[in-house]
Amino acid sequence: MGAGSVKWVLSVALCALFRSAGCNSVEQKIYVDLNNTIPCVRLLNGTHQMGCQSSISGNTGVLHVLETEADLDWVLKSGPHPPYMVLMDASYFNSTVMMQLKNSTRVTGVAVVIPSTGPPQGFSPHNKCPNQHTGVYSDSYGPGLADCNVTVWNPLGNGLSFEDFKFPIFSLKDDNQTEAIRKCISDHNVGNNGSAPAYPLCAMQMFSHMHAVTSTATCMRRNYIQEHYSLNPESVCDPLGDFNVWAPLLPLNVTSKGHKANESVVIAATRLDGRSFFWDVATAAEGTVTGFVTLLAAAHALRSVTEQAPPSRNILFTFFQGETFDYIGSSRMVYDMEKKKFVIDLDNVHSVLEIGQVGLREGTNLWMHTDPVSRTNASVDEQVRNLVANLKDSVTGLGINLAEPTVSQPLPPSSFQRFLRARPFPGVVLADHQSSFVNKYYESIYDNAAYLNVTYPSDLSPEEQLEYITDTAKALAQVATLVARTLYRQADGNKDLVDNITADAKIVTQMLYGFLIRTNNSWFRSMISAEDVGVVGSQTPQYYVGVSVSMTRPSPMTRLVQYLLANLTGTVTALNQTTCQDPSSQRNESKELYSYLWVRGPQSANSTNRDPYCVRSTVRSTLAISPAFELREYESKVYSTWTESRWKSSIKARIFLVASKELEMLTLGVGIAVLLVSLLVTYFISSKAELLFSSTREPSGTTY
C-alpha cells in the first residue's frame, strides 16, 4: 500500500518507535514483522469452506483498536480511512461482533489479543451440537434424539469455527510487541479532540492466502487434475488425519487380519485430538487430555495384576485421532474391522467403555451415559446393565458418586457412536456432565492447564513441578482406578484381585505436566528413542490433528502417546539395541505379537550418560484417515470429509506507516516524471552517441 519511496521516508519514525536494531535494509526500514502470530486457516468439508484467508498479495488496512461500541461504529461506518485492520481484545471476539465485521466491506482483517485466561461467561467457537451429522442418531436411528433435539451438548457454542471469513484473522499474545502496536496506533491513528487522525497512519498487513476453495470435492478434483495433467503437480488441499494408537492387553497376531476365533475383546476408548478457532492451537485440556491421561493411567494400573492373573477376555486400549472432525479415527477403525483389515473384526467386540471429559467433576459426580435406542434390544440392555453394575461395584472407596442421567437422552458426542452405526453394542461413556458440557471452553484456546487447575507453587523448579501431585491429578487417578477395575471385571478377571488395582497419582501428575505444560521434561525424555527426541518440546503441547501429507509415521504428539503407552504397559527386556531392532533371531520374541522400542532411559547417577533399554509391548498404530478418501466419496454423508487448504508463502503479519493518498499520488507522479525525463535523456544520448563519444582521429600519413 503506497509508494515505496514514501514508506522509506516514513520508516525513520517507525524504526525510532520500535528501536529495532534490524532496521538496516530497505524492507526492515519500512516494515516491522510481528512474532507470535497464529492464523485462522481455511478448512473444507464435503459441502462447505470455512475459516479465513487473505488475498494472494496480503491484506492491508489502517489499524483501529476496538474497545467500545463507538469504535465498532467507526470501523463499520464513520471512519474516514477504510479499509481497516481491527485490533481487538478477546472480550469482543464473539459471534455478534465478528458477524458484523464479516458482512462489512470496510474491514480487511482482524487481530485478536488473547489473554491467558478465558472470559468468565465461557467461550466456544464450536457448534452447539458437535459432530451431529456423523454420529449414530438420524432419521433412521432415534430420530427424536437427532440434532440435539433432547440435549444441547455445547450450549455456549457460537459456531465461529464454521464461518467463512473473506479476510485474515490472527491471534496475538498479550506481550511487549502488542503494547508497541498499541503505541503505534495511539501515536498516529488517534485524532485531536475527536477529529480524524492525520497521515501518516499506522497500518497492518497480513499474509495467509489459501489455495483451496468451495469444498473438499472441488479441491480433491483439482488435486487429481494437477497430479495427472500438470508438468509441475501441486496439491491445493490435504485430508485431515494421523494415526490411531492401540494396544491389546493380551498380545494379538497382527499378521492375521479379520475375525479371530474364540477371541472376545472389551474396547477401552478415548480420543487424542482437539481444535480451536486458530490453526494448530488446541490445548484441549478438559476436552481431550483428561480422557487419554485417564486411560493411560488405567492401562498402567492393570499391568501388574494382569501379569499375575490374566483375564479370560482381552482388553483393547484405543486412542482415536481426528474425532473432533466427524470421528475420523473411530470411523476408520470400524471401517477396517468391517473390511477385515484390522487385527479383529466387529464380531470380536464384546462391549465398549469410553472415557470422555472427566476433569471437571462437580463435587464427586461422574455420569454413565448409555444409548437408549440399542437398549430396546433385551440382550443389549442386559449387557449394558452388567457393565453398569461392574462400574458401580468398582467405585467402592474411591470417593466418586456414579450416576446415570435421570431422563432418556442420547449419547454425548463420542467415538462409541461410530460403533453403534455399524451394529448394536453394549457400551458406556463416562463423563463429568449429566447433560450439557461442564466445559465452558469446549474446543477453544482457553481449554488449558489453568482451566483444569493444573497449577504449581511459584517457588518450584520445572523438575519439582513434574513431581508435584496436584488435586487434579489425584481426582483423575481416582477415575483411572475406577476404569481399570471396571475393565478387569468386564474382562472376567479374578474378582479377588480387583481391589489391588490402583492408579498411580504420581504418574498421572507427571503426564498432566508433560501433556499440558511441557513435553520436554526428564520423564518423557527417558521414554523415547534417541531418533525421536524431536517429539518433545518446550512449547505448550497442541492436539490439532493436522494433515495426512505423509502417512508413513504418526505425528509427534501421537508418537509420544505411543511411547508412553508402551512404557506404561510393556516389559523391559534384556535385548541389546541390535536385537531390539530385529528380534527375529531371539527365542520367545515375536514381532507378530509384540512391538519393540529402544528408548533412551533415565540419566545415570552423577552422569550425563543414559541407561537405554528395550521395551516390548503390544502397542501399535494404524491409519486414521477417513474412509471417504479411500472410497473417493468426497461428499459423503457417512464419513468425515475434512481437508485443510495448502498455502505457498509463509503466513505472517507486519506493521508500517502509510502515507495519504495525495502524497502517494504525488510520489507516483514525480516518479513517472523522473522516468519520462530519464527515457528522453537516454534517447537523446543514444541518438547522439557517435558524436558525443567519438574519438579524434590522426592523419594517416603521420610518421614518427
Side-chain angles (χ1 to χ4, degrees):
M1 182 177 182
S5 57
V6 176
K7 292 178 183 176
W8 187 87
V9 173
L10 294 174
S11 68
V12 175
L14 194 60
C15 282
L17 172 67
F18 286 93
R19 303 179 186 275
S20 173
C23 290
N24 54 7
S25 69
V26 173
E27 182 175 4
Q28 288 174 319
K29 290 179 179 178
I30 295 175
Y31 302 106
V32 173
D33 291 330
L34 302 177
N35 302 320
N36 300 322
T37 58
I38 302 170
C40 156
V41 301
R42 171 155 291 168
L43 297 171
L44 308 100
N45 62 17
T47 56
H48 293 80
Q49 68 180 31
M50 55 212 77
C52 321
Q53 76 157 357
S54 72
S55 66
I56 195 167
S57 58
N59 283 25
T60 305
V62 173
L63 276 163
H64 192 81
V65 179
L66 181 57
E67 294 177 326
T68 64
E69 290 296 326
D71 292 322
L72 185 60
D73 183 76
W74 178 275
V75 170
L76 298 177
K77 298 177 182 178
S78 59
H81 306 301
Y84 285 101
M85 280 280 179
V86 179
L87 178 70
M88 64 169 66
D89 289 328
S91 58
Y92 283 92
F93 186 55
N94 55 59
S95 57
T96 302
V97 172
M98 291 305 299
M99 294 309 292
Q100 292 183 70
L101 299 181
K102 175 184 174 179
N103 297 324
S104 173
T105 59
R106 292 166 54 90
V107 177
T108 191
V110 173
V112 186
V113 181
I114 302 293
S116 58
T117 57
Q121 70 274 17
F123 174 79
S124 173
H126 206 72
N127 283 336
K128 294 182 183 296
C129 191
N131 292 0
Q132 69 183 94
H133 300 301
T134 48
V136 68
Y137 302 106
S138 64
D139 292 339
S140 60
Y141 189 98
L145 305 175
D147 301 320
C148 291
N149 288 331
V150 174
T151 304
V152 178
W153 297 108
N154 187 34
L156 293 175
N158 57 37
L160 281 179
S161 291
F162 297 85
E163 292 291 338
D164 182 29
F165 293 94
K166 305 301 182 183
F167 50 74
I169 302 174
F170 282 40
S171 73
L172 304 173
K173 289 187 177 181
D174 193 2
D175 55 16
N176 292 337
Q177 195 167 57
T178 304
E179 288 303 311
I181 296 171
R182 293 182 185 275
K183 187 175 189 305
C184 181
I185 295 172
S186 65
D187 288 349
H188 297 277
N189 294 9
V190 179
N192 296 321
N193 300 321
S195 62
Y199 287 98
L201 298 175
C202 190
M204 178 180 282
Q205 189 172 32
M206 293 180 178
F207 297 88
S208 63
H209 181 66
M210 303 285 116
H211 295 306
V213 295
T214 308
S215 67
T216 289
T218 300
C219 83
M220 294 304 290
R221 183 173 65 250
R222 292 181 178 179
N223 281 354
Y224 179 84
I225 293 172
Q226 283 284 323
E227 291 170 3
H228 290 82
Y229 301 104
S230 175
L231 295 177
N232 297 301
E234 190 171 29
S235 297
V236 296
C237 71
D238 300 290
L240 295 183
D242 194 1
F243 282 77
N244 294 325
V245 177
W246 55 273
L249 183 68
L250 308 175
L252 295 171
N253 190 328
V254 296
T255 60
S256 172
K257 306 296 183 182
H259 185 71
K260 287 186 168 46
N262 303 318
E263 189 73 53
S264 180
V265 176
V266 178
I267 292 182
T270 192
R271 73 175 193 175
L272 285 180
D273 70 301
R275 69 176 294 193
S276 75
F277 183 85
F278 298 101
W279 177 73
D280 202 22
V281 177
T283 48
E286 157 73 349
T288 299
V289 176
T290 59
F292 76 71
V293 164
T294 297
L295 188 54
L296 285 169
H300 174 256
L302 282 169
R303 181 171 66 176
S304 59
V305 71
T306 53
E307 288 175 351
Q308 178 184 352
S312 59
R313 186 176 290 124
N314 211 340
I315 300 171
L316 186 69
F317 303 103
T318 55
F319 299 79
F320 294 121
Q321 267 287 11
E323 296 301 273
T324 304
F325 295 94
D326 292 326
Y327 305 118
I328 293 174
S330 56
S331 64
R332 181 55 186 248
M333 181 171 284
V334 171
Y335 174 82
D336 287 344
M337 287 181 178
E338 291 177 317
K339 300 299 181 182
K340 312 298 182 184
K341 296 180 178 180
F342 191 64
V343 68
I344 60 171
D345 67 3
L346 292 174
D347 290 332
N348 293 122
V349 178
H350 173 267
S351 53
V352 178
L353 177 62
E354 181 170 351
I355 298 87
Q357 303 179 80
V358 291
L360 296 174
R361 286 188 284 142
E362 295 180 337
T364 60
N365 290 332
L366 194 63
W367 298 91
M368 299 177 291
H369 296 271
T370 59
D371 171 43
V373 179
S374 62
R375 293 188 69 174
T376 58
N377 180 300
S379 174
V380 172
D381 183 61
E382 181 182 0
Q383 294 179 69
V384 171
R385 290 178 183 274
N386 289 336
L387 177 52
V388 169
N390 284 333
L391 279 159
K392 290 182 177 179
D393 289 342
S394 302
V395 79
T396 304
L398 294 180
I400 297 175
N401 178 39
L402 276 177
E404 295 182 80
T406 55
V407 298
S408 179
Q409 65 178 23
L411 286 168
S414 52
S415 306
F416 180 39
Q417 292 198 32
R418 292 304 303 193
F419 286 85
L420 289 174
R421 282 191 71 136
R423 65 176 67 171
F425 287 100
V428 170
V429 177
L430 285 179
D432 55 19
H433 52 88
Q434 177 181 7
S435 53
S436 58
F437 296 157
V438 178
N439 187 356
K440 297 190 299 182
Y441 305 120
Y442 182 73
E443 306 297 9
S444 84
I445 200 169
Y446 305 115
D447 186 8
N448 54 25
Y451 181 49
L452 269 186
N453 197 30
V454 180
T455 56
Y456 305 92
S458 58
D459 59 340
L460 296 185
S461 68
E463 285 301 308
E464 290 171 333
Q465 291 176 357
L466 177 64
E467 303 287 332
Y468 183 82
I469 299 178
T470 63
D471 290 339
T472 303
K474 295 175 184 177
L476 287 183
Q478 291 177 334
V479 180
T481 299
L482 168 65
V483 170
R485 291 178 179 179
T486 302
L487 289 172
Y488 192 64
R489 290 180 186 272
Q490 189 71 3
D492 285 340
N494 187 335
K495 292 181 173 56
D496 294 333
L497 299 177
V498 170
D499 291 341
N500 296 340
I501 301 172
T502 304
D504 189 337
K506 181 179 177 181
I507 284 180
V508 174
T509 209
Q510 288 174 315
M511 286 193 287
L512 288 176
Y513 179 84
F515 286 120
L516 291 176
I517 308 297
R518 186 165 61 176
T519 57
N520 189 14
N521 59 74
S522 60
W523 193 56
F524 276 17
R525 288 195 301 268
S526 70
M527 291 190 287
I528 60 176
S529 69
E531 293 77 15
D532 274 333
V533 69
V535 303
V536 298
S538 58
Q539 300 299 318
T540 303
Q542 306 297 332
Y543 299 95
Y544 173 64
V545 63
V547 296
S548 54
V549 178
S550 176
M551 276 297 144
T552 58
R553 191 174 180 84
S555 66
M557 194 53 62
T558 302
R559 187 72 172 152
L560 185 55
V561 170
Q562 194 172 353
Y563 274 113
L564 262 291
L565 183 58
N567 278 273
L568 293 176
T569 62
T571 303
V572 177
T573 71
L575 299 178
N576 58 33
Q577 184 172 4
T578 302
T579 55
C580 184
Q581 293 171 346
D582 183 16
S584 56
S585 61
Q586 304 299 305
R587 292 184 60 186
N588 302 323
E589 303 294 346
S590 170
K591 295 191 73 171
E592 289 76 25
L593 296 177
Y594 301 101
S595 63
Y596 298 82
L597 295 171
W598 183 256
V599 300
R600 304 172 75 209
Q603 284 188 337
S604 304
N606 301 321
S607 173
T608 59
N609 296 325
R610 293 185 174 273
D611 296 322
Y613 56 87
C614 182
V615 175
R616 179 183 63 216
S617 73
T618 61
V619 178
R620 309 280 182 174
S621 62
T622 51
L623 198 64
I625 183 171
S626 171
F629 298 98
E630 181 175 308
L631 300 170
R632 299 184 182 274
E633 297 176 358
Y634 305 128
E635 296 178 340
S636 174
K637 300 296 189 297
V638 177
Y639 298 113
S640 171
T641 55
W642 283 90
T643 54
E644 179 190 287
S645 175
R646 284 195 182 187
W647 58 88
K648 282 185 181 178
S649 58
S650 60
I651 292 180
K652 62 181 180 179
R654 57 191 186 181
I655 65 172
F656 58 94
L657 297 181
V658 62
S660 66
K661 294 292 184 183
E662 292 77 11
L663 183 55
E664 288 179 357
M665 294 308 296
L666 175 62
T667 305
L668 178 62
V670 171
I672 292 174
V674 170
L675 174 63
L676 293 175
V677 170
S678 299
L679 290 175
L680 289 174
V681 171
T682 302
Y683 174 77
F684 174 77
I685 293 174
S686 178
S687 63
K688 303 296 183 179
E690 185 176 351
L691 178 63
L692 293 173
F693 302 109
S694 62
S695 58
T696 304
R697 295 186 178 182
E698 297 178 353
S700 58
T702 303
T703 60
Y704 296 93

